Each structure stands twice: as structure tokens, then as C-alpha cells.
Amino acid sequence: MVIGVVDKDKNIKILSFGCSTGEECVSLNKYLPNASILGVDINKKSLAKAKQNNSKQNISYKYCEPNEISNLGKFDVVIAISVLCKHPEAIYLDDLTKIYPFERYEEMVNKLDTIVKENGLLIIRSSNYIFSDVKISNKYKSIENNN
């Protein structure tokens, strides 16, 4: 994770896109206790579990369809880990584009880009496509993780 580039004492806004049951939000809170963290997902059962296990005032969870993402406001950090992919289906397919075309990936990346504040971080990890193939990738500087 690239938390080293974020001031842990600053009150920043973080979006966990595809937060599932909230473990990522709780983990982020340990490293960035002053951050305001919003976890969003389309799975209502996962969100219910996340809300049930949440005891932190600075973490909130919300149901959000991908086409509603722009209604969330702007964030200093937007994280999408293992969300912009099709697993385990992708393992068994010769042609992933039949179930998850590149255009769909690029569309979602573009939506996420619209909610990243200027000089903010967009963290995408474990996706089926390469971020540098997306047209807006030239707006971002890649941060290498050597771990």
C-alpha cells in the first residue's frame, strides 16, 4: 500500500470503492486515524456486515451503483483493489473481453478519476487490465511498490 505518501496527521477524505465487508476501511483507519473514510459497494449484504462491525466515527458505508459515483464528492485518495476485475471467471477464459471488455474497465477508471481531487491518489490494484492503457493515465504519475 502507498500510505507513505499521505500525511497521516492530515484530515483527508478516502474512498474505498468496492469495500465489501469493510476490512480495508478498518485497516486504513489504523494507519490514518484522522482520515474520513467512506466505503461503497453494490453488495447490500456485505455493506450490512461492514456497518454491523463498524465502531469508528470516521468510517461510513454506503450503497452506491457505479453510475452514481460522481455524486459522492471529491476525495484525496480513491482506492479500488481487486474490484476492476473478473475473478475467478477470468482464470478459465481464453478471451476475457466476452465478459469484461476493456471499454467497461476504462469507463469505470474515468468515473473514478472524476472524484479524485487535484494532486490526489488513485490506487488501482489487481485489475484485469493495465492502467497505462487507459487514455487518462497520462494525468497520473505511477508510484512503484517494490514489496
Side-chain angles (χ1 to χ4, degrees), residues 45 47 69-70 134:
K45 288 182 181 180
L47 281 173
I69 199 91
S70 62
V134 175

Side-chain angles (χ1 to χ4, degrees), residues 73-121:
K74 297 279 188 175
F75 294 86
D76 299 289
V77 181
V78 174
I79 302 172
I81 298 178
S82 296
V83 179
L84 303 178
C85 59
K86 290 290 183 188
H87 293 301
E89 301 97 327
I91 297 169
Y92 306 106
L93 293 175
D94 292 330
D95 183 4
L96 174 69
T97 61
K98 292 178 182 177
I99 64 165
Y100 189 46
F102 176 79
E103 294 77 19
R104 197 161 128 210
Y105 167 80
E106 184 170 38
E107 179 184 345
M108 195 64 241
V109 169
N110 289 337
K111 286 178 184 178
L112 293 174
D113 171 63
T114 66
I115 62 171
V116 177
K117 289 181 181 178
E118 187 174 337
N119 297 315
L121 292 173

Side-chain angles (χ1 to χ4, degrees), residues 2 20 22-23 34 73-74 76 79 101 121-122 127 132-133 141 143:
V2 226
S20 186
E23 289 86 356
N34 295 321
K74 297 279 188 175
D76 299 289
I79 302 172
L121 292 173
L122 173 59
S127 64
S132 61
D133 290 340
K141 178 183 173 193
I143 299 173

